[in-house]
Amino acid sequence: MAGGPASVEFRAVVKRYGAVTAVDGVSFTIEPGTLATLLGPSGCGKTTTLRLIAGLELATEGQILIGGRDVTRRAAAERDVSMVFQSYALFPHMTVLENAAYGPIVDGTPRKEAHAMARAKLELVGLSGFEARMPSELSGGQQQRVAVARALVLEPQVLLFDEPLSNLDAKLRRRVREDIRELQRRLNLTVVYVTHDQQEALAVSDRVIVMSNARIAQAGSPRDLYERPANRFVADFIGDANVVAAELIEVSGDRAKVVLGGIALELERRGARPGPVTVAIRPEALLLSADRPAAPAAPGRIGKAAYLGTHMEYTVTSALGELFVIDRMPSRAFAAGAEVWISLPGTGVAIVPE
Amino acid sequence: MSEPAAASRAPARDAGGAGTGLLLLAPALLMVTALFLYPLGYSLTGAFRGVDGAWTLANFTKSFELYSRDIGFTVAIIGLSTLLIAFFSIAIGGYLTLGENRTAVVILRWLYRWPLFIPFIVAGQLMRAFLARNGMLNNTLMAMGVLDPADAPSLLDWRGIVIAFVWKQTPFVALLVAGAMATLDRSTIEAARNLGAGRLRILIEIVVPQVRQTLVVGLVLSFVTMMSVLSVPLMINAQSPTMITVDMAFRINAYGDYGVANALGFLSCALTGAVAWIYLRHGIRERGRQ
Ligand SMILES: Nc1ncnc2c1ncn2[C@@H]1O[C@H](COP(=O)(O)OP(=O)(O)OP(=O)(O)O)[C@@H](O)[C@H]1O
Ligand SMILES: [Mg+2]
């Protein structure tokens, strides 16, 4: 049944639970062999979307295609999709080997062969020698890898992860997410990955689908989302952003001249019209200096200052409003209350269309 | 310098605490001894005494001579009932946990507990009315034309007892089992679904093994209950072969023969003890595995 990685396509999918609409008219396509993340705040419908792909929920409206085949009405068992659950969902009464071999055994594969398949995948995730243990005898990270092995055994067309790292500590989280990415590349898998951690999403994905209130807020590459957020929500959710009001004074082609806090900048136009516009500024795009620089700058005053080892974090009051600033040179720290000049070199600043 | 004094006072207070604790427990302990342990010991040792008060195994020899058939019958009936109860309570718990038709689940949840609130004697009576040769079951079957009146059977024999037991005890075990199933991590069920398992397979391979402990406790308790029920076999089938509870009552009421009654009582204690022992061993092995 292994037919290589498959694409996943949603066409205007709606999922309602009684009066609650958990997924509201969602459409996207995930290319075969890529890793896409579903990113969004709690309750925005990420898990529901994943469960719709797996067939653990059936769509109320719309169409779901896997590998170009319409599976909208198909039950979970009939879809070639495996899921790694947030709690891992290992069968507590079975050994590691029995857990990993469950898929092929259900499929009717002879026990010996199923065990061989399971052993191969356990080795792949680095768990050789743990076959006879019970899940309760493993650490959280090891349990997670058993869950991955169990999901991989059937060589599914699509592999789903629901917040796979949320039960791991910060250090392990980074390593495991790299392992997952590595595995995805090596085995050429289509992976859909749910997280509410934007850093995790940016780090591992080919494509990020940002959800908000049961809808897609924006879908694109990590760079797209970070540098060209489609709306306030995405600008704020992906990395921190200072969302400030500005005035668009002149349009030329796809460029636009924008003035904010007395500083004029040329930015990508992104369909904006002359008049008031919204601009998102990344905290590390703002430069602070004690003396007035040659470039256009606005005066400001340091509110709070915090030392974080690799960088300083400030809040600065200025004509642009209250700004959050990250300065990568902690050796040159400003004290709270200091007068500074703020300038904008131009990267990390974008017009937000909505 | 005050520390050693404090240290030496602590154990003293503890000992006092233990003393007070024992004192508080004393009435309860006394009640248990007077009302349970003493009569139990008395009747158990009574099984080994003759009418003259001397130690003997005569009561057992007599019990086996007269009632070996009934002892076997009792074990068979209760064993079969236990198996059926296990089957039905798993089926009920399984449907409550895995059933997809919400309405059916709600109705079943409401319906299945009713027999819990009906006393055994009433259950026996209901079964009489239901299972007799001219009872409701046969009448219905005859009315439907499924059954020829000429060979309408009476189910008021061992089958009646089994049906009454299963009907009365299944809800109890199902209640425990369904409760345990409801607290399972549902994602294990979904993981199995995701790996391609059907509902029956999930029930047998994923759900039941995780609630086995509870199921066994329910079955042991139910076994003990059935061992001690007199009313059902009395109401449904008091002719030979019958259950040893009936024989015990008969020995006492008809002959004042406490010796044999005690011996039969001892045997039923031994049987339930054996079942409990199997359960305990099972539990220890289980914990050893984890
Ligand atoms: N079985 C259900 N019945 C009713 N409402 C549900 C059900 N499952 C989810 N919902 C609702 O649907 C919405 C989306 O839920 P979902 O689990 O997809 O969120 P999520 O994005 O995964 O959030 P989180 O990050 O907290 O896991 C929520 O408002 C939730 O309350
Ligand atoms: Mg979720």
Side-chain angles (χ1 to χ4, degrees):
Chain A
M1 71 193 272
S7 60
V8 177
E9 187 179 349
F10 268 44
R11 292 187 186 154
V13 172
V14 176
K15 176 67 192 178
R16 285 191 205 95
Y17 297 106
V20 182
T21 306
V23 170
D24 191 5
V26 164
S27 302
F28 59 76
T29 305
I30 296 167
E31 298 300 329
T34 61
L35 192 157
T37 40
L38 291 166
L39 173 67
S42 184
C44 69
K46 307 179 294 291
T47 298
T48 307
T49 306
L50 208 65
R51 293 169 59 84
L52 285 165
I53 301 174
L56 294 171
E57 305 285 351
L58 290 182
T60 314
E61 284 169 30
Q63 264 186 311
I64 298 171
L65 291 87
I66 294 175
R69 234 183 40 184
D70 190 332
V71 296
T72 316
R73 294 284 124 210
R74 298 213 173 208
E78 299 170 48
R79 300 188 190 187
D80 194 3
V81 172
S82 291
M83 182 150 166
V84 176
F85 290 80
Q86 183 168 0
S87 57
Y88 313 140
L90 297 180
F91 308 130
H93 57 290
M94 296 186 190
T95 62
V96 166
L97 186 67
E98 287 165 343
N99 261 283
Y102 193 70
I105 282 175
V106 168
D107 256 11
T109 312
R111 188 161 292 269
K112 229 173 130 187
E113 208 174 308
H115 282 184
M117 290 162 79
R119 279 212 173 79
K121 296 302 182 223
L122 285 170
E123 192 184 339
L124 190 72
V125 298
L127 278 182
S128 299
F130 289 82
E131 288 88 350
R133 297 236 198 143
M134 301 304 283
S136 58
E137 298 165 344
L138 298 178
S139 74
Q142 290 164 341
Q143 289 180 24
Q144 202 257 1
R145 284 186 277 159
V146 176
V148 173
R150 183 176 69 180
L152 280 175
V153 158
L154 290 174
E155 306 197 336
Q157 291 184 304
V158 181
L159 187 58
L160 310 175
F161 288 91
D162 190 1
E163 310 220 11
L165 311 183
S166 57
N167 293 329
L168 306 178
D169 67 52
K171 269 225 173 93
L172 198 56
R173 218 175 282 173
R174 182 182 294 259
R175 213 186 68 209
V176 173
R177 86 184 180 205
E178 276 157 17
D179 288 349
I180 290 175
R181 178 59 158 168
E182 219 267 316
L183 205 65
Q184 180 266 330
R185 286 220 170 101
R186 186 146 51 104
L187 304 180
N188 188 29
L189 300 166
T190 305
V191 170
V192 188
Y193 185 109
V194 163
T195 177
H196 61 257
D197 180 337
Q198 46 96 9
Q199 268 204 2
E200 197 176 312
L202 296 184
V204 299
S205 320
D206 293 306
R207 197 143 172 281
V208 181
I209 298 167
V210 184
M211 294 186 70
S212 157
N213 288 327
R215 291 165 181 275
I216 293 184
Q218 188 177 0
S221 68
R223 182 174 286 268
D224 259 358
L225 296 182
Y226 193 75
E227 293 180 357
R228 312 174 68 237
N231 48 49
R232 256 167 188 274
F233 175 81
V234 175
D236 204 39
F237 194 74
I238 307 283
D240 289 300
N242 296 290
V243 178
V244 301
E247 183 82 16
L248 197 162
I249 48 174
E250 201 185 310
V251 172
S252 61
D254 62 350
R255 305 297 292 174
K257 196 169 175 188
V258 171
V259 178
L260 56 164
I263 305 172
L265 281 177
E266 206 189 87
L267 300 173
E268 189 188 345
R269 182 183 166 199
R270 308 192 70 195
R273 289 158 203 266
V277 289
T278 309
V279 170
I281 311 171
R282 295 297 171 191
E284 61 277 5
L286 291 156
L287 284 189
L288 301 182
S289 47
D291 306 316
R292 180 163 198 158
R301 178 196 294 272
I302 304 280
K304 280 180 231 147
Y307 173 77
L308 280 106
T310 56
H311 63 272
M312 293 290 300
E313 286 185 6
Y314 299 106
T315 53
V316 183
T317 328
S318 74
L320 283 74
E322 177 102 340
L323 298 174
F324 175 59
V325 181
I326 290 177
D327 189 345
R328 298 279 169 204
M329 287 195 288
S331 54
R332 178 200 66 184
F334 296 99
E339 304 283 345
V340 290
W341 288 93
I342 306 161
S343 55
L344 282 165
T347 57
V349 186
I351 294 177
V352 179
E354 301 167 23
Chain B
M1 275 332 281
S2 67
E3 267 179 1
S8 69
R9 210 162 42 235
R13 195 180 51 218
D14 269 358
T20 321
L22 276 181
L23 213 67
L24 284 171
L25 273 177
L29 218 58
L30 212 69
M31 295 290 273
V32 169
T33 312
L35 297 178
F36 173 68
L37 289 178
Y38 178 71
L40 180 72
Y42 187 79
S43 77
L44 287 185
T45 51
F48 295 93
R49 281 178 199 271
V51 269
D52 52 355
W55 295 102
T56 168
L57 285 176
N59 293 324
F60 285 91
T61 334
K62 199 165 166 195
S63 297
F64 280 115
E65 264 166 29
L66 292 172
Y67 300 119
S68 56
R69 217 167 110 86
D70 284 353
I71 294 167
F73 184 75
T74 302
V75 171
I77 281 198
I78 296 185
L80 176 63
S81 302
T82 304
L83 286 182
L84 289 173
I85 291 167
F87 175 81
F88 286 117
S89 53
I90 289 170
I92 291 173
Y95 194 77
L96 293 179
T97 317
L98 302 171
E100 261 150 28
N101 184 334
R102 296 314 307 163
T103 325
V105 167
V106 168
I107 292 172
L108 179 62
R109 191 187 310 278
W110 183 78
L111 216 56
Y112 86 93
R113 305 171 204 230
W114 279 101
L116 270 180
F117 302 101
I118 292 171
F120 267 109
I121 181 87
V122 180
Q125 201 162 3
L126 292 177
M127 287 303 149
R128 264 203 93 83
F130 186 67
L131 301 171
R133 179 159 288 122
N134 53 0
M136 232 172 75
L137 180 65
N138 283 346
N139 285 344
T140 313
L141 291 178
M142 283 186 260
M144 280 162 42
V146 185
L147 189 69
D148 185 351
D151 37 60
S154 166
L155 295 176
L156 293 178
D157 48 18
W158 63 273
R159 289 171 292 188
I161 301 178
V162 170
I163 293 173
F165 277 163
V166 172
W167 184 79
K168 175 73 181 91
Q169 285 302 101
T170 297
F172 169 69
V173 180
L175 193 72
L176 293 179
V177 166
M181 286 180 181
T183 62
L184 279 189
D185 177 4
R186 281 203 74 88
S187 63
T188 58
I189 294 170
E190 297 196 321
R193 257 173 84 196
N194 181 240
L195 291 167
R199 271 198 285 173
L200 189 60
R201 185 155 201 152
I202 292 175
L203 180 63
I204 294 167
E205 292 181 352
I206 306 297
V207 175
V208 171
Q210 292 190 68
V211 300
R212 202 165 61 189
Q213 249 356 5
T214 310
L215 176 66
V216 172
V217 172
L219 291 177
V220 168
L221 293 177
S222 176
F223 187 97
V224 173
T225 306
M226 290 188 291
M227 274 312 280
S228 58
V229 170
L230 171 63
S231 52
V232 168
L234 212 53
M235 298 269 321
I236 291 181
N237 174 35
Q239 306 96 27
S240 185
T242 190
M243 298 189 60
I244 50 181
T245 46
V246 177
D247 298 331
M248 283 168 75
F250 179 71
R251 282 327 290 180
I252 291 170
N253 293 332
Y255 299 107
D257 181 359
Y258 283 88
V260 169
N262 282 339
L264 288 172
F266 184 88
L267 287 173
S268 69
C269 275
L271 273 172
T272 52
V275 169
W277 181 73
I278 290 168
Y279 158 67
L280 281 177
R281 272 192 51 125
H282 172 91
I284 289 164
R285 225 194 4 259
E286 196 75 346
R287 248 167 285 137
R289 236 167 92 96
Q290 307 240 317

